[in-house]
Amino acid sequence: MKLGFYGCGNMGEAILSAIRKNGAHKISDVIILGRDLGRMGKLEKTYHVRTTSNVSDLQECDIIILGVKPQSLKDIPVFESKKKIIVSCAKQLD
C-alpha cells in the first residue's frame, strides 16, 4: 500500500519517524507533498522518502495523511478514488 502525506510539518514528521522506527510501512512506498523545498530536502535526506510538489502524485496512494494546519483544510483537493483512506491531523478551529 502506498502512503502519502499532504503536508509534513511537526506532526507529520513524528508519524513518519514512528513508521520508520517500527517498520510499520515500507519507506519506499511513502511520498510526501510539500511546498517548502528546504523542508522536503531535509525529509528526503533523513527518511529516504520521495517528495513532490505535484498533488497528482498522491493519486497513486492508498492512504493519505493530511498534515496541514486547520486553516489550510479548505485548500485540499478532491482525490478521485473512493477507495482511499484519508486521515487528518488537523484540529477543528472554533
Side-chain angles (χ1 to χ4, degrees):
M1 292 184 83
K2 301 265 185 197
L3 175 63
F5 285 80
Y6 188 97
C8 193
N10 293 333
M11 183 69 73
E13 187 173 1
I15 294 168
L16 184 59
S17 176
I19 287 169
R20 184 180 74 167
K21 183 177 180 180
N22 69 21
H25 203 83
K26 289 186 348 187
I27 287 296
S28 61
D29 286 338
V30 174
I31 183 169
I32 300 171
L33 178 131
R35 296 180 304 201
D36 182 339
L37 295 179
R39 173 104 177 123
M40 294 300 102
K42 176 190 176 249
L43 294 171
E44 285 178 351
K45 185 176 179 181
T46 303
Y47 299 100
H48 307 287
V49 293
R50 181 175 144 211
T51 64
T52 185
S53 60
N54 187 349
V55 71
S56 65
D57 290 338
L58 293 184
Q59 292 295 347
E60 67 189 64
C61 295
D62 303 295
I63 302 169
I64 299 174
I65 297 174
L66 303 178
V68 297
K69 297 192 183 312
Q71 60 269 28
S72 299
L73 286 174
K74 65 183 180 330
D75 300 325
I76 303 287
V78 174
F79 292 100
E80 299 302 318
S81 173
K82 293 180 181 178
K83 295 183 179 183
K84 289 190 187 318
I85 297 170
I86 309 290
V87 178
S88 176
C89 298
K91 176 183 175 189
Q92 182 177 345
L93 294 174
D94 294 325

